[in-house]
Amino acid sequence: MSHGHKGYDVIGPNGERIQVKYLANPHGPWINSHMVKFTQDMDCYAVVFFVDLAPVVAISFPREGLARICQRLGKRHPY
């Protein structure tokens, strides 16, 4: 990971520019939410989920296909 890249954190194996964010919650009911927001500087958006400070899962959202993913989840997709 590099803090020198504008708009993304990691370069994937195929050269894709990936922005990485996290969402941390205690065990039990979730109190936080997260909005996936793309910029022109990224190809993929990843969220790492922490429960009680332990990483549990990471989900990656590709720019292409994001509208379909949001539709299947019943979420609004502004892009």
Side-chain angles (χ1 to χ4, degrees):
M1 186 165 8
S2 170
H3 296 289
H5 301 299
K6 180 182 178 181
Y8 62 97
D9 297 309
V10 178
I11 298 175
N14 297 317
E16 64 272 33
R17 301 164 299 168
I18 306 168
Q19 175 71 283
V20 180
K21 297 292 185 181
Y22 74 92
L23 181 64
N25 279 295
H27 185 76
W30 282 56
I31 56 174
N32 293 318
S33 63
H34 185 85
M35 176 187 281
V36 174
K37 187 172 181 179
F38 271 86
T39 68
Q40 294 301 318
D41 298 320
M42 64 184 79
D43 304 308
C44 198
Y45 193 101
V47 181
V48 180
F49 293 87
F50 289 83
V51 176
D52 290 336
L53 299 178
V56 218
V57 69
I59 300 175
S60 179
F61 299 94
R63 179 184 296 280
E64 290 185 29
L66 185 59
R68 188 178 67 208
I69 292 168
C70 290
Q71 180 184 28
R72 295 288 304 259
L73 292 173
K75 303 292 183 181
R76 290 177 282 165
H77 176 53
Y79 308 102

